[in-house]
Amino acid sequence: MQESDFKLALKLRIDWSEMDTYQHVNNVNFMKYMQSARVQFWEVSGLAKMYENTKKGPMLVSTKCDFKNPLFFPGNVVVKTKVEFIKNTSFGLYHKLYNDEGVLCAEGHDVAVCFDFNQNQTFLITKDLRETMEQY
């Protein structure tokens, strides 16, 4: 997988309050950075708007983060995101988190299902939605 496969990038400022007793960014904040990138994907793919209009949208069912190197304050984190897979009702996102020097600090994976909150059940990913998601 090449860096050019990652169509989405989100730069976030590291806040002093995100540090832990070891003077590096606490691991829970890596999950927050991935959440911000996940929401960015939901917005650009139209999933967020779909939920607003129909109460049908993505629901996170799994997330995982492997830590490679620490992040520090002051600084930034860049989260690069790509669609890892698309199945019938679910899809996965793959994230890479980098520091200001371009060092890989973490890799993460999310799995979400397309969920109809009106019916309390998953729904099939439409052809149009699949084509939009495949762009990322």
Side-chain angles (χ1 to χ4, degrees):
M1 189 171 308
Q2 300 190 16
E3 289 302 308
S4 61
D5 292 337
F6 291 80
K7 305 291 188 232
L8 294 173
L10 183 62
K11 185 175 185 177
L12 302 166
R13 183 181 69 83
I14 295 170
D15 191 77
W16 181 83
S17 67
E18 296 171 341
M19 291 192 305
D20 61 18
T21 193
Y22 302 117
Q23 300 302 304
H24 58 66
V25 172
N26 185 281
N27 57 6
V28 72
N29 291 294
F30 284 73
M31 304 306 274
K32 288 171 52 180
Y33 303 148
M34 289 174 20
Q35 178 184 41
S36 293
R38 186 168 56 247
V39 169
Q40 178 194 38
F41 172 74
W42 291 354
E43 289 173 347
V44 301
S45 67
L47 286 165
K49 183 61 92 178
M50 177 192 295
Y51 176 77
E52 286 177 29
N53 295 334
T54 66
K55 299 298 182 232
K56 294 168 69 174
M59 177 191 291
L60 184 69
V61 295
S62 176
T63 188
K64 173 182 185 286
C65 186
D66 293 320
F67 305 100
K68 307 293 184 182
N69 288 290
L71 285 166
F72 299 96
F73 173 87
N76 298 287
V77 58
V78 174
V79 186
K80 294 186 177 182
T81 302
K82 74 174 298 305
V83 173
E84 190 168 29
F85 65 83
I86 305 171
K87 294 186 178 179
N88 292 328
T89 61
S90 66
F91 62 92
L93 299 177
Y94 175 36
H95 308 282
K96 288 186 172 187
L97 291 77
Y98 296 91
N99 66 15
D100 283 328
E101 289 76 42
V103 173
L104 180 65
C105 295
E107 291 179 288
H109 302 270
D110 295 329
V111 177
V113 295
C114 289
F115 197 78
D116 183 335
F117 292 85
N118 304 295
Q119 303 293 320
N120 268 345
Q121 63 186 25
T122 59
F123 67 89
L124 292 175
I125 296 172
T126 64
K127 180 179 179 258
D128 289 344
L129 179 56
R130 180 179 301 274
E131 289 173 356
T132 300
M133 292 169 68
E134 285 173 344
Q135 295 175 39
Y136 301 99

